Amino acid sequence: MTISAFIRSMQQITRRGNRHCRRATPLASLTEKHRGDRMRDRRTTMRDHRSQEVTSMDISYHETQDRLTNRIRAHKMFGNFDITDWIDDFVGRRPRTNILDLGCGDGNHIDLYLRHVGETGTVTGADRDAALIDRARSRYSDAKNLTLRVGSMDEKLPFEDGAFDLCMVTFAIYNAKDAEYTLRELHRVLGKNGELVMIGPTANNVAELYEFNEKVTGRKADEKTLRRSERIVKEFLPLALGMFGSVQGEVINSVLTFPNSEEFLRYFCSTLLYEEIAEREGLSLDDLKAYCPPSGAMPVSKEMVAVVATKSS
């Protein structure tokens, strides 16, 4: 299976989103028998990637914690699916010893990882924002097997080769400056048969927000925002296929149903889409409210992708 065929299959797989639905079937599994196709495609991909880099923009991004916290709150209060449940289930599929949470923020999932490694394992969290690491230290001050460090995915990771059996990068990796460099660093710090999990949006994510933004501002989403939403599938996935022994993925659908326009706007104003366009244009909350219905629920569709890359033994 070639990269292009794999990506096409990703867009057509069974999706999940309802709390009561069965587990979605993994969309594909690429193992050593596909290495020839993978490497040929990777060489082509890398040539194209390098040529694009000459003229491409810097799409790295530094998330602000307050806005991230608002979005996490919305998912827990108004979503019909919590990605934490998927992560908990995945991590529990095999014994875990040393877990890295890259881009951990203030530790939203660290308690989950600590539970899975038990007292004999370790969890390491890294984030480039020192203030977030300080908040995580306060949250988990009693955890003896937790290490928290300030570190950026755009720089050499401060860990030994093969230090971890699981690396989690949840809603963060699409902010990296150089996808290949970050992926190679994650590959380096994974041990044999170690797993890297990358979770983030697809190009179909929050379509209703893009429509609302265009209605309010008269402008489509800027190129940076669109490229970030496509990076895992279009950039990180092809690179992973060339570096790792096997790659699997799953597209996860869910819906956020906001009970009123106030909650909808609280979420919208916590997104990069808002930051890049409406906020820069100086639009007030009253300006935005004028485009919302006077009453009733406002749904927003969510589409995420989870890519699992396993290092060869």
Side-chain angles (χ1 to χ4, degrees):
M1 179 184 289
T2 63
I3 288 174
S4 58
F6 181 75
I7 293 175
R8 284 197 300 273
S9 72
M10 175 169 283
Q11 304 305 325
Q12 298 168 359
I13 67 165
T14 304
R15 289 162 166 82
R16 95 187 242 193
N18 189 289
R19 280 197 180 99
H20 306 292
C21 75
R22 64 178 176 84
R23 178 171 304 286
T25 304
L27 54 97
S29 176
L30 302 184
T31 53
E32 293 302 323
K33 67 179 181 178
H34 301 303
R35 184 170 295 279
D37 282 344
R38 244 176 32 216
M39 292 307 295
R40 284 191 294 273
D41 276 16
R42 179 176 178 271
R43 286 193 289 269
T44 301
T45 300
M46 290 309 301
R47 285 197 298 269
D48 293 342
H49 178 64
R50 292 191 187 101
S51 65
Q52 291 169 3
E53 281 186 334
V54 175
T55 56
S56 67
M57 65 189 76
D58 178 9
I59 57 175
S60 61
Y61 176 65
H62 193 161
E63 180 77 86
T64 59
Q65 182 60 27
D66 288 344
R67 288 178 172 175
L68 177 60
T69 299
N70 277 340
R71 296 202 306 276
I72 292 171
R73 168 188 172 273
H75 281 265
K76 292 188 178 298
M77 291 184 64
F78 308 121
N80 69 333
F81 173 78
D82 190 343
I83 192 62
T84 300
D85 296 334
W86 187 98
I87 295 170
D88 191 21
D89 180 76
F90 174 84
V91 177
R93 293 178 191 177
R94 56 189 267 194
R96 307 294 178 179
T97 304
N98 300 298
I99 297 177
L100 170 64
D101 184 3
L102 183 60
C104 67
D106 66 354
N108 189 46
H109 292 118
I110 282 177
D111 57 342
L112 184 157
Y113 302 140
L114 287 168
R115 174 164 50 82
H116 280 283
V117 301
E119 294 181 358
T120 59
T122 68
V123 174
T124 301
D127 198 281
R128 62 183 170 184
D129 191 323
L132 295 182
I133 291 295
D134 286 342
R135 287 170 64 170
R137 288 194 179 110
S138 296
R139 290 179 68 179
Y140 301 102
S141 58
D142 295 333
K144 305 301 182 185
N145 55 343
L146 171 64
T147 300
L148 294 167
R149 309 184 59 153
V150 177
S152 170
M153 66 181 71
D154 296 328
E155 301 170 355
K156 182 178 176 64
L157 296 177
F159 311 113
E160 298 293 328
D161 295 358
F164 305 101
D165 54 88
L166 175 62
C167 292
M168 300 291 303
V169 195
T170 307
F171 293 99
I173 201 163
Y174 45 81
N175 292 324
K177 181 177 293 186
D178 185 328
E180 182 181 10
Y181 179 84
T182 297
L183 210 53
R184 288 199 178 281
E185 277 296 286
L186 286 163
H187 184 274
R188 177 183 65 79
V189 302
L190 273 173
K192 293 179 180 179
N193 296 314
E195 293 177 308
L196 165 65
V197 179
M198 300 177 284
I199 301 175
T202 74
N204 297 324
N205 190 48
V206 295
E208 295 86 351
L209 294 191
Y210 289 104
E211 294 170 2
F212 180 77
N213 172 77
E214 188 171 358
K215 183 167 63 173
V216 171
T217 67
R219 294 172 55 190
K220 295 182 181 294
D222 67 298
E223 185 65 18
K224 284 186 177 182
T225 302
L226 293 175
R227 285 192 58 192
R228 286 191 191 96
S229 69
E230 299 174 338
R231 283 193 89 189
I232 290 183
V233 171
K234 289 192 173 181
E235 194 171 349
F236 285 94
L237 173 59
L239 289 167
L241 289 168
M243 292 183 200
F244 289 82
S246 67
V247 178
Q248 296 179 328
E250 183 178 331
V251 172
I252 304 166
N253 274 5
S254 64
V255 177
L256 298 175
T257 304
F258 297 102
N260 50 53
S261 61
E262 286 76 16
E263 290 290 357
F264 171 84
L265 290 177
R266 180 172 181 173
Y267 184 81
F268 176 71
C269 292
S270 298
T271 64
L272 179 61
L273 176 64
Y274 165 77
E275 182 179 330
E276 295 282 1
I277 301 180
E279 186 176 43
R280 289 187 177 182
E281 293 187 359
L283 295 177
S284 68
L285 190 59
D286 287 338
D287 293 330
L288 300 177
K289 283 182 179 178
Y291 290 88
C292 292
S295 62
M298 299 183 68
V300 172
S301 57
K302 296 287 294 182
E303 185 172 278
M304 301 163 277
V305 62
V307 173
V308 181
T310 305
K311 188 172 181 177
S312 299
S313 59

